[in-house]
Amino acid sequence: MKINACIVAVLSLLFVACGGTRMAVNPNWTTTPDKFTVLISEPYVANSDDVTDDFGDNDAFKQWVADYLNESIGSYSKKNTVHAIKLVDDNWFVTTQLPLGEGEISVPLPKKEMMDGITGVVVNVHPMRFWRETDMCHSRNGCMNNHSLNLKVMYSIVSVEDGNVLAYGGAYDKSSFTFAMTKGNWESVIECVAKKIVEKTPLEK
């Protein structure tokens, strides 16, 4: 997809309670679209047992992630904006280096040939990676290790018709647990990332 050179944008660097994001928003994008489409590639999970424990199988997990991301993006978007979500293969996207601060960031842009039937604004989420971490406790007085579920996504928001890149960036969040991970940990990180994707754009509520 052709990228207009004028999209070098106002940059916001945020590290807040709900995780972090590094993002750029085109300052010329000021109008909220009537509708938009979210394209999400198959989520990657480092530990497949986490999926089995909480969702049964990978197909059920993929569909749940798509549905919950769709619901979460909707909850942070303007109520009069219609949106839909589509789970697609990795080959729908081309990874492109775009400027961010003093460096660059790799973001997904949709391939023009894949946009048949899709019009208006499209939100592209790829890749979407889940993994867990453990912070070991080394206190002499005794303590418990702290575990977390982590989620990182790269994304772009693009106008299909003219190829303008309206926003792009990366978003990250983590949800802590002591013993066993629950569905609530998955929900927490997805909600936060969804909020970051629409934040500071005309889509934001």
Side-chain angles (χ1 to χ4, degrees), residues 78-99:
K78 290 183 170 67
K79 292 298 182 183
N80 61 344
T81 304
V82 178
H83 70 284
I85 197 162
K86 185 178 180 68
L87 190 62
V88 300
D89 293 331
D90 291 359
N91 63 6
W92 277 58
F93 308 103
V94 57
T95 300
T96 304
Q97 296 288 116
L98 293 181

Side-chain angles (χ1 to χ4, degrees), residues 1 3 19 48 73 92 103 106 113-114 150 177 184 194 198:
M1 173 167 286
I3 306 169
S48 59
I73 287 178
W92 277 58
S106 298
E113 61 268 28
M114 298 296 189
N150 300 261
F177 59 95
V198 302

Side-chain angles (χ1 to χ4, degrees), residues 50-66:
D50 291 333
V51 172
T52 303
D53 291 343
D54 291 330
F55 299 94
D57 61 65
N58 194 50
D59 288 339
F61 171 71
K62 289 188 295 185
Q63 190 58 55
W64 178 84
V65 168

Side-chain angles (χ1 to χ4, degrees), residues 145-170:
N145 295 332
N146 185 53
H147 309 278
S148 64
L149 173 67
N150 300 261
L151 170 60
K152 181 179 180 181
V153 306
M154 308 307 293
Y155 70 91
S156 69
I157 305 177
V158 174
S159 172
V160 173
E161 282 73 21
D162 56 23
N164 277 337
V165 179
L166 306 175
Y168 57 88

Side-chain angles (χ1 to χ4, degrees), residues 56-195:
D57 61 65
N58 194 50
D59 288 339
F61 171 71
K62 289 188 295 185
Q63 190 58 55
W64 178 84
V65 168
D67 291 343
Y68 201 75
L69 180 64
N70 186 43
E71 178 184 334
S72 299
I73 287 178
S75 70
Y76 293 112
S77 303
K78 290 183 170 67
K79 292 298 182 183
N80 61 344
T81 304
V82 178
H83 70 284
I85 197 162
K86 185 178 180 68
L87 190 62
V88 300
D89 293 331
D90 291 359
N91 63 6
W92 277 58
F93 308 103
V94 57
T95 300
T96 304
Q97 296 288 116
L98 293 181
L100 191 61
E102 297 180 356
E104 293 184 328
I105 187 172
S106 298
V107 298
L109 297 180
K111 293 181 180 178
K112 188 67 175 178
E113 61 268 28
M114 298 296 189
M115 294 296 102
D116 186 35
I118 299 177
T119 60
V121 170
V122 61
V123 179
N124 311 282
V125 182
H126 168 76
M128 188 175 199
R129 295 192 175 106
F130 294 91
W131 74 98
R132 65 157 71 194
E133 289 181 340
T134 299
D135 293 326
M136 303 299 293
C137 174
H138 301 290
S139 171
R140 292 182 178 180
N141 298 324
C143 57
M144 291 182 291
N145 295 332
N146 185 53
H147 309 278
S148 64
L149 173 67
N150 300 261
L151 170 60
K152 181 179 180 181
V153 306
M154 308 307 293
Y155 70 91
S156 69
I157 305 177
V158 174
S159 172
V160 173
E161 282 73 21
D162 56 23
N164 277 337
V165 179
L166 306 175
Y168 57 88
Y172 163 80
D173 191 43
K174 65 190 296 183
S175 178
S176 298
F177 59 95
T178 303
F179 297 108
M181 195 163 68
T182 68
K183 200 171 184 179
N185 296 111
W186 301 94
E187 292 172 344
S188 176
V189 293
I190 290 175
E191 288 170 9
C192 184
V193 162
K195 180 180 181 181

